[in-house]
Amino acid sequence: MGEPEAGSEFAMRAAAAAGPMADAQYILPNDIGVFSLDCREAFRLLSPTERLYAHHLSRAAWYGGLAVLLQTSPEAPYIYALLSRLFRAQDPDQLRQHALSEGLTEEEYQAFLVYAAGVYSNMGNYKSFGDTKFVPNLPKEKLERVILGSEAAQQHPEEVRSLWQTCRELMFSLEPRLRHLGLGKEGITTYFSGDCTMEDAKLAQDFLDSQNLSAYNTRLFKGVPQDGKPCYEVRLASVLGMEPALHSEMTSKLKSYEFQGSHFQVTRGDYAPILQKVVEHLEKAKAYAANSQQEQMLAQYIESFTQGSIEAHKKGSRFWIQDKGPIVESYIGFIESYRDPFGSRGEFEGFVAMVNKAMSAKFECLVASAEQLLKELPWPPTFEKDKFLTPDFTSLDVLTFSGSGIPAGINIPNYDDLRQTDGFKNVSLGNVLAVAYATQREKLTFLEEEDKDLFIRWKGPSFDVQVGLHELLGHGSGKLFVQDEKGAFNFDQETVINPETGEQIQSWYRSGETWDSKFSTIASSYEECRAESVGLYLCLNPQVLEIFGFEGADAEDVIYVNWLNMVRAGLLALEFYTPEASSWRQAHMQARFVILRVLLEAGEGLVTVTPTTGADGRPDARVRLDRNKIRPVGKPALERFLRKLQVLKSTGDVAGGRALYEGYAAVTDASPECFLTLRDTVLLRKESRKLIVQPNTRLEGSEVQLLEYEASAAGLIRSFSERFPEDGPELEEVLTQLATADARFWKSPSEALSGQA
């Protein structure tokens, strides 16, 4: 086994940090909503070849998703390995009997199941939505008795004891720095070694830009200084390591550099054994591809994961964009940068899904109207792409979504250069949205009673409209002004005028600079805010609502509930703000709070947020939206804000963008809203994000079977216990070996902090 010995430095250094039992912010409640992802009908309609294609892509995605454990926290791989060993030896029902005999109550055992389901669901012990740590809601001593007396411990006593001793303190610790993901003293992250600061991250980004290297598939490790100069390792994710290899685009990059008084060493081989499994199944999927685009796409992904090349992933993404309207849709790689504290490294994710034809037809109509609708957006045509590249927009039923969480819609690829020149695809994940719609009236907080029934009736349809507009015309709109490596501009410097200043364009993106690298820590949230604002703005257009089948009073209700949902979300967002660090932990929720602030600023009673006392005698609040003022007051306010957002983005004006965005994102106790005080009310009444149980596919002979599981914490655990039937123990060993090899990079919090003094 690859676990460190019992009592190792890694295990001991967190012992002193174990805090008191968690408050509600850091646990998952026993009554957390658990839903199954329903894709049975969509899977049934696939041909045998399509099923084989989907199966191997799903296997690749699930294997790759394990890398997220190594991208989250130092202890996550050990926790995963421990849970997997426990539940492989005894399923949740069998383990329950043992737990009760060890003195646990039913509630305590259920709390353990919910914790385990949470670790599997988030691929780690930090929430994917909000980046907050969650800990088991039962005494450590009781959990220890369950683990050390389990069937797994009887079978492999040394390995199980070693795993437990390695992760038990960090599993429960709520030492302040460990409560959230973050960089330096602000939190924990494994994208960077524990002694890295935001200054190190900025220096590394400048270095990467200077070498035209993407940060998406990298991690940064600070080493021992040489010649008095700081030393950094930039490690790329790849199957191949540093052994001599046939020359590729990447091999010339793998060397030592001097940059701004620091040493940089570019290496590769991060997550190598995991990516080897990904590559094996992508190779198998190629045999069942529907066309040459899919074959070439997979060949480039294989090259990317083998060599560590983002350029190869871009080439694969080009073929993916060209593969219009496939029956089985997929995407895989280091994609979203939300959880990198600096905002430029991608978390691994992979999805496989099947087309939902009825909803896709509506999205096709929206795409057909897109060029006309783009003209409605409140910025000059010169700030829009020279040519609208008609994208694919489909509604999909997800079969597999690996990574730390499942979104409701996606607009990818995230590579700016491809989006400007090759286009993109939009997908709305229909069976995920169906889970998101499931709202119980009694759990609907902060709304007036008369709004609740309307909200429940129209939340689903309004969300369909918002997701469609957000992905297609939000993320899909706007131009970046760029000067390429030859000095040529993609805009006319003489004639293009900044509508905010009335002057010529003063700033732009240089060669090698991207939206993420320039706007770094605010890039993700700022862009989500722009896309959400576009959705609110364009949902007022009758043509849009007709496409989705809404006219007259129904259309007005859809608009009202869409706007009401957004301002309520702005209040709910306060859960994801950390006052101690004055920082936001979730890009989308920060964006919604900013929109709430913009609409409150519009005044005239458009939106009000009022503290109240609930029927239970505890603090409460009410959000009100005057539907008669949405067009005369809300629309002009949003128009002004959207124009500023786009102009600052197009021109790469980081200083202006930060001033605008961080100004609205500031959370204070200024009256009348007193948001810091309201945050306590939001935390008091928050509902935990739902857990989603996904099916498995299994190859039986030449046929692919769909295996479904019950919507419960135990069902979610069973789905993971059966996910890797051939090589579960091997994967656990791989994960713990990889984690152990890098454990030295995360010192104790006190050491790390003293090192920054």
Side-chain angles (χ1 to χ4, degrees):
M1 281 296 291
E3 298 90 7
E5 295 173 14
S8 71
E9 180 197 3
F10 183 94
M12 291 189 298
R13 65 180 183 231
M21 279 304 290
D23 66 28
Q25 216 182 139
Y26 303 106
I27 60 165
L28 302 178
N30 279 12
D31 64 351
I32 193 168
V34 186
F35 293 79
S36 286
L37 214 49
D38 181 11
C39 63
R40 188 183 312 159
E41 182 61 15
F43 185 79
R44 187 184 67 79
L45 294 172
L46 296 182
S47 71
T49 302
E50 289 163 351
R51 289 186 185 188
L52 284 161
Y53 183 64
H55 167 72
H56 287 297
L57 289 175
S58 290
R59 301 309 299 150
W62 285 125
Y63 279 118
L66 296 172
V68 176
L69 294 160
L70 295 155
Q71 294 181 299
T72 300
S73 70
E75 67 275 14
Y78 301 101
I79 296 172
Y80 173 91
L82 179 63
L83 294 174
S84 296
R85 278 186 170 267
L86 281 180
F87 291 113
R88 190 168 50 251
Q90 291 169 285
D91 80 11
D93 288 341
Q94 293 167 331
L95 195 60
R96 171 180 275 105
Q97 300 311 312
H98 163 61
L100 298 180
S101 72
E102 289 287 356
L104 270 71
T105 64
E106 285 282 1
E107 290 74 23
E108 287 169 336
Y109 182 66
Q110 179 62 20
F112 173 54
L113 291 187
V114 166
Y115 175 78
V119 169
Y120 286 135
S121 205
N122 292 279
M123 268 291 104
N125 55 331
Y126 286 76
K127 296 176 190 173
S128 65
F129 202 83
D131 296 342
T132 307
K133 189 173 188 177
F134 57 96
V135 300
N137 190 25
L138 72 160
K140 189 193 305 176
E141 299 71 29
K142 286 194 170 184
L143 182 54
E144 179 168 85
R145 291 208 298 271
V146 172
I147 288 168
L148 298 184
S150 68
E151 189 65 36
Q154 307 303 318
Q155 294 171 5
H156 302 282
E158 288 183 22
E159 288 95 331
V160 170
R161 180 176 291 277
S162 174
L163 280 169
W164 171 243
Q165 291 184 341
T166 300
C167 68
R168 65 182 175 186
E169 303 303 339
L170 284 165
M171 183 189 282
F172 281 86
S173 175
L174 286 173
E175 193 273 330
R177 184 180 172 228
L178 303 181
R179 292 175 186 172
H180 308 290
L181 297 180
L183 191 54
K185 65 180 185 296
E186 302 297 340
I188 192 75
T189 176
T190 47
Y191 285 114
F192 298 86
S193 55
D195 53 356
C196 281
T197 64
M198 196 58 79
E199 287 66 39
D200 294 314
K202 288 172 184 167
L203 177 66
Q205 186 64 56
D206 290 343
F207 164 72
L208 290 166
D209 289 346
S210 76
Q211 298 302 318
N212 209 17
L213 272 170
S214 170
Y216 270 118
N217 64 341
T218 69
R219 293 198 288 169
L220 184 71
F221 301 99
K222 199 171 181 177
V224 179
Q226 294 175 13
D227 320 321
K229 295 178 179 179
C231 256
Y232 301 93
E233 177 195 359
V234 173
R235 191 189 301 167
L236 311 178
S238 67
V239 175
L240 293 177
M242 297 302 288
E243 66 276 2
L246 291 171
H247 180 77
S248 75
E249 158 241 339
M250 291 311 300
T251 49
S252 62
K253 306 271 191 187
L254 304 173
K255 60 183 181 184
S256 296
Y257 300 79
E258 290 284 316
F259 182 78
Q260 294 186 10
S262 297
H263 295 291
F264 278 86
Q265 178 82 33
V266 177
T267 68
R268 67 179 175 185
D270 218 358
Y271 327 118
I274 292 170
L275 292 176
Q276 178 63 47
K277 301 270 189 186
V278 174
V279 164
E280 286 169 10
H281 279 280
L282 293 179
E283 284 284 6
K284 290 177 179 177
K286 267 171 69 181
Y288 305 105
N291 53 49
S292 64
Q293 275 112 342
Q294 288 181 0
E295 287 176 20
Q296 292 175 92
M297 166 190 86
L298 293 174
Q300 291 296 334
Y301 292 165
I302 290 165
E303 174 74 1
S304 172
F305 299 140
T306 302
Q307 299 284 352
S309 167
I310 290 296
E311 283 305 312
H313 197 269
K314 284 184 179 181
K315 289 176 186 172
S317 298
R318 283 195 173 92
F319 289 118
W320 179 73
I321 293 164
Q322 293 163 19
D323 183 28
K324 303 283 188 187
I327 300 298
V328 177
E329 184 61 282
S330 68
Y331 199 60
I332 190 167
F334 296 90
I335 311 300
E336 301 293 355
S337 57
Y338 301 124
R339 298 181 96 194
D340 169 13
F342 188 71
S344 60
R345 284 154 192 78
E347 184 174 80
F348 194 97
E349 70 178 42
F351 78 83
V352 185
M354 292 89 51
V355 173
N356 176 321
K357 290 181 180 173
M359 182 56 81
S360 293
K362 294 178 182 177
F363 288 141
E364 282 168 22
C365 291
L366 189 64
V367 170
S369 306
E371 282 195 85
Q372 198 55 43
L373 291 170
L374 282 171
K375 295 173 185 173
E376 304 285 321
L377 292 172
W379 49 78
T382 49
F383 282 71
E384 198 47 72
K385 295 184 187 75
D386 302 335
K387 184 177 188 302
F388 180 69
L389 301 158
T390 306
D392 232 12
F393 198 167
T394 47
S395 176
L396 304 174
D397 284 340
V398 171
L399 170 65
T400 296
F401 206 114
S402 76
S404 65
I406 312 180
I410 321 172
N411 174 289
I412 39 181
N414 287 331
Y415 306 120
D416 292 329
D417 47 350
L418 262 67
R419 297 171 65 77
Q420 300 282 321
T421 58
D422 294 72
F424 51 88
K425 282 188 184 180
N426 299 275
V427 296
S428 173
L429 304 177
N431 56 347
V432 178
L433 284 168
V435 169
Y437 298 160
T439 305
Q440 296 171 273
R441 197 179 195 281
E442 61 273 17
K443 290 189 175 182
L444 202 48
T445 52
F446 308 129
L447 293 181
E448 296 285 11
E449 285 303 313
E450 60 265 28
D451 279 334
K452 288 185 178 179
D453 291 333
L454 202 64
F455 189 89
I456 288 168
R457 180 179 176 191
W458 292 109
K459 182 188 175 189
S462 72
F463 204 37
D464 281 334
V465 174
Q466 179 68 11
V467 168
L469 294 171
H470 171 117
E471 300 296 349
L472 175 66
L473 296 158
H475 292 316
S477 64
K479 176 175 180 170
L480 301 185
F481 295 153
V482 178
Q483 182 182 23
D484 67 20
E485 66 277 2
K486 295 174 184 170
F489 291 88
N490 69 342
F491 65 99
D492 188 329
Q493 287 180 283
E494 297 298 319
T495 60
V496 177
I497 300 299
N498 181 327
E500 293 294 307
T501 64
E503 299 172 356
Q504 292 177 332
I505 303 304
Q506 304 293 320
S507 57
W508 49 83
Y509 296 79
R510 264 76 179 179
S511 175
E513 290 182 332
T514 66
W515 164 249
D516 277 340
S517 71
K518 255 181 110 59
F519 282 73
S520 65
T521 53
I522 65 163
S524 290
S525 185
Y526 187 115
E527 176 58 14
E528 293 304 332
C529 187
R530 197 181 68 87
E532 291 283 45
S533 298
V534 166
L536 286 187
Y537 187 76
L538 288 179
C539 82
L540 298 170
N541 186 308
Q543 179 190 354
V544 168
L545 296 167
E546 280 177 31
I547 288 169
F548 285 88
F550 306 119
E551 296 178 3
D554 284 355
E556 291 303 308
D557 283 345
V558 167
I559 291 168
Y560 176 62
V561 169
N562 195 32
W563 279 60
L564 182 63
N565 189 32
M566 187 63 70
V567 295
R568 175 177 178 260
L571 179 60
L572 296 176
L574 290 167
E575 175 192 341
F576 302 94
Y577 178 76
T578 305
E580 297 81 8
S582 300
S583 66
W584 285 90
R585 305 187 313 276
Q586 214 293 321
H588 299 79
M589 299 310 282
Q590 180 181 3
R592 290 158 189 162
F593 178 77
V594 166
I595 291 169
L596 170 61
R597 289 282 315 278
V598 169
L599 297 178
L600 282 166
E601 184 184 78
E604 299 187 43
L606 169 68
V607 177
T608 55
V609 180
T610 313
T612 62
T613 301
D616 57 5
R618 300 189 301 171
D620 205 341
R622 287 290 172 271
V623 176
R624 298 178 181 87
L625 170 71
D626 187 335
R627 65 190 299 163
N628 297 315
K629 292 180 179 173
I630 290 174
R631 283 187 176 86
V633 180
K635 185 181 180 184
L638 209 53
E639 186 171 302
R640 290 188 296 272
F641 178 61
L642 247 181
R643 182 162 48 244
K644 286 177 185 170
L645 284 179
Q646 183 56 51
V647 167
L648 293 164
K649 179 181 179 182
S650 288
T651 57
D653 182 352
V654 180
R658 280 194 178 278
L660 175 74
Y661 199 68
E662 291 173 348
Y664 280 115
V667 179
T668 71
D669 242 353
S671 61
E673 287 81 26
C674 305
F675 282 120
L676 274 177
T677 301
L678 272 177
R679 179 178 175 273
D680 294 333
T681 304
V682 170
L683 288 174
L684 182 68
R685 299 190 177 274
K686 77 184 183 79
E687 182 185 2
S688 290
R689 199 165 171 82
K690 303 175 180 84
L691 301 180
I692 296 180
V693 183
Q694 298 188 55
N696 285 319
T697 55
R698 180 181 294 164
L699 195 55
E700 295 182 0
S702 60
E703 290 192 5
V704 180
Q705 303 296 325
L706 184 72
L707 307 178
E708 297 176 287
Y709 303 88
E710 67 176 23
S712 67
L716 201 157
I717 290 164
R718 286 190 184 97
S719 74
F720 267 88
S721 293
E722 296 181 13
R723 194 141 282 157
F724 303 106
E726 309 90 0
D727 50 10
E730 175 199 335
L731 292 170
E732 290 145 30
E733 186 160 352
V734 160
L735 284 164
T736 53
Q737 284 174 345
L738 291 174
T740 302
D742 288 331
R744 68 189 185 279
F745 290 119
W746 293 282
K747 303 170 186 174
S748 73
S750 59
E751 283 176 71
L753 290 179
S754 65
Q756 291 168 16

